[in-house]
């Protein structure tokens, strides 16, 4: 996982747990990347280690790996396991069940990055762009 982005995502996750008075459990964080294979590996790990009821995939591909592996393990999504992904690309709409996502605007991210690159005097190295949660069939 990209070190900065991965750290930011984990920090946001831990902050959300704290905001909702949910105790932190380091076993709930699977160290992988954004790949389909990481989604498969994480679901295999979680299914053998714990009785999870929800998973946040680090990407749409990882979430697809999670869902496909859950189905092979006879875990019904969303009845037994809710899955949400981060990205919201076209992939979330071409799988079954369609994946609930934290949808980012990659166009806006690219436009913002270029503006930062070409602007003079911009000292900020990190800018957060907007996102939305699109609920679909996996949660």
């Amino acid at each position: 996982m990209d070190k900065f982005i991965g750290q930011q995502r984990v920090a946001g996750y831990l902050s959300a747990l704290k905001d909702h008075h949910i105790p932190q459990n380091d076993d709930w964080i699977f160290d992988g990347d954004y790949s389909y294979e990481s989604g498969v590996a994480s679901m295999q790990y979680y299914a053998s280690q714990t009785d999870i009821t929800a998973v946040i995939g680090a990407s749409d591909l990882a979430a697809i790996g999670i869902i496909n592996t859950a189905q092979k393990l006879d875990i019904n999504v969303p009845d037994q396991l809710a899955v949400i992904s981060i990205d919201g690309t076209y992939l979330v709409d071409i799988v079954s069940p369609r994946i609930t996502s934290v949808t980012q605007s990659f166009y806006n991210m690219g436009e913002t990055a270029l503006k930062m690159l070409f602007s003079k005097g911009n000292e900020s190295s990190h800018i957060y762009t907007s996102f939305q949660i699109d609920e679909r069939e996996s949660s």
Side-chain angles (χ1 to χ4, degrees):
M1 181 178 296
D2 175 272
K3 189 171 183 152
F4 174 75
I5 293 172
Q7 289 172 342
Q8 294 301 305
R9 289 183 179 186
V10 170
Y13 166 75
L14 295 175
S15 177
L17 289 178
K18 185 177 179 181
D19 288 350
H20 294 280
H21 310 290
I22 299 171
Q24 177 181 330
N25 183 336
D26 291 337
D27 290 336
W28 293 348
I29 300 172
F30 185 84
D31 190 24
D33 57 25
Y34 305 105
S35 69
Y36 177 87
E37 293 77 14
S38 279
V40 169
S42 68
M43 191 63 232
Q44 290 170 337
Y45 168 79
Y46 288 128
S48 67
Q49 299 294 324
T50 184
D51 294 324
I52 60 166
T53 58
V55 177
I56 302 169
S59 70
D60 297 340
L61 276 175
I64 293 168
I66 290 165
I67 289 171
N68 287 349
T69 304
Q71 291 172 343
K72 287 178 183 175
L73 296 169
D74 292 322
I75 299 170
N76 182 279
V77 175
D79 295 335
Q80 295 172 289
L81 178 70
V83 178
I84 187 169
S85 71
I86 300 174
D87 285 338
T89 64
Y90 74 96
L91 296 173
V92 299
D93 286 317
I94 63 171
V95 297
S96 181
R98 294 178 329 123
I99 304 170
T100 295
S101 66
V102 177
T103 302
Q104 307 176 79
S105 171
F106 292 104
Y107 178 87
N108 186 18
M109 289 159 64
E111 180 181 52
T112 301
L114 282 175
K115 286 180 181 176
M116 288 175 63
L117 181 65
F118 294 119
S119 70
K120 296 186 188 249
N122 186 344
E123 296 182 23
S124 176
S125 61
H126 304 102
I127 291 180
Y128 296 94
T129 58
S130 62
F131 64 90
Q132 64 189 36
I133 296 178
D134 291 319
E135 191 169 346
R136 295 183 185 84
E137 299 160 352
S138 68
S139 63

